[in-house]
Amino acid sequence: MGPSYSGGHVLHLAGFDRRIKAVVSQVPTINPVEQIIRRSGRDGLERLLEMLATDREQRFDGEPSGRVKVVAPEGELSALSVPEAYEAMIRQAMIAPSWVNSVTLESLEDYVQYLPTARIELISPTPLLMVIAEADALIPADLARAAFERAGKPKELHVAPCGHFEIYEQEPWFSEAVGRMAAWYTTHLQPRR
């Protein structure tokens, strides 16, 4: 099971590791470059790529990687540049006081080059449940649907009429998603006799 960024990880891993017996991917990272373009436009992507190139040169010269905030108020530079991300992460930081609102530019460089759904069709015959949020500002629902369509069977798509973070925090979406996940695992992870 993986949510968000790790939702992309489980899609990638399940395509190559047959020890995985059932997959649940909730509001998964699908295509980071396209997601960035949707949030910040092509100009935003180009600015990011320039920052990453400068950081790479500095790292090659022995300097540590630069850092950027994970979330910030609207108008400030951050990795997740949507208001709902800032609001949700700041709420979560209250219960996780050791969380640091910072990520290295080297990590963002790895993120931009990552395409977890490149081989989504290889997941089959492993059962796949994908849970997406229709109003997701981080991972557009149409990207998730297109990736899901490429996956083989058995598969199921659960679409919640909410945003990326609401599915973790708000009812009825949280309980609906968790109920679907539990049922998926109950169906597909029966003990061997």
Side-chain angles (χ1 to χ4, degrees), residues 3-8 11 26-32 34-36 38-39 80 82 84 111 117 130-145 147 162-165 168:
S4 198
Y5 192 36
S6 61
L11 294 173
Q26 180 171 293
V27 292
T29 291
I30 300 294
N31 180 331
E34 184 62 29
Q35 291 165 202
I36 292 166
R38 299 275 187 99
R39 287 194 304 264
L80 303 178
V82 296
E84 77 175 73
Y111 174 73
T117 58
M130 189 182 290
V131 177
I132 66 173
E134 189 65 47
D136 196 329
L138 284 176
I139 298 139
D142 67 309
L143 294 180
R145 276 192 181 91
C162 63
H164 187 90
F165 294 95
Y168 302 119

Side-chain angles (χ1 to χ4, degrees), residues 4-186:
S4 198
Y5 192 36
S6 61
H9 297 342
V10 299
L11 294 173
H12 173 78
L13 292 171
F16 296 96
D17 189 341
R18 289 295 174 229
R19 293 175 297 176
I20 297 169
K21 301 302 177 197
V23 180
V24 173
S25 181
Q26 180 171 293
V27 292
T29 291
I30 300 294
N31 180 331
V33 168
E34 184 62 29
Q35 291 165 202
I36 292 166
I37 291 170
R38 299 275 187 99
R39 287 194 304 264
S40 304
R42 181 63 192 245
D43 289 342
L45 175 64
E46 292 299 329
R47 285 191 302 275
L48 174 61
L49 294 176
E50 287 172 18
M51 287 175 55
L52 298 178
T54 299
D55 186 71
R56 186 180 325 109
E57 288 175 15
Q58 291 171 345
R59 290 193 325 268
F60 290 169
D61 287 338
E63 299 291 324
S65 182
R67 301 188 77 82
V68 66
K69 289 181 179 180
V70 175
V71 293
E74 193 167 0
E76 287 184 34
L77 178 65
S78 69
L80 303 178
S81 57
V82 296
E84 77 175 73
Y86 176 73
E87 294 159 9
M89 298 297 278
I90 295 306
R91 273 193 312 277
Q92 292 301 314
M94 292 178 178
I95 60 172
S98 62
W99 177 70
V100 177
N101 185 14
S102 176
V103 64
T104 64
L105 289 171
E106 183 176 12
S107 294
L108 287 180
E109 182 175 34
D110 290 341
Y111 174 73
V112 169
Q113 296 174 31
Y114 185 44
L115 188 57
T117 58
R119 296 289 174 250
I120 196 169
E121 67 277 358
L122 296 178
I123 294 174
S124 180
T126 303
L128 168 64
L129 170 63
M130 189 182 290
V131 177
I132 66 173
E134 189 65 47
D136 196 329
L138 284 176
I139 298 139
D142 67 309
L143 294 180
R145 276 192 181 91
F148 177 81
E149 289 304 318
R150 292 181 24 238
K153 294 179 182 180
K155 64 182 180 178
E156 181 178 312
L157 180 66
H158 174 68
V159 182
C162 63
H164 187 90
F165 294 95
E166 292 169 319
I167 203 159
Y168 302 119
E169 302 174 324
Q170 293 185 13
E171 295 297 344
W173 306 300
F174 173 78
S175 292
E176 288 174 3
V178 170
R180 291 283 180 116
M181 292 176 207
W184 191 254
Y185 285 131
T186 298

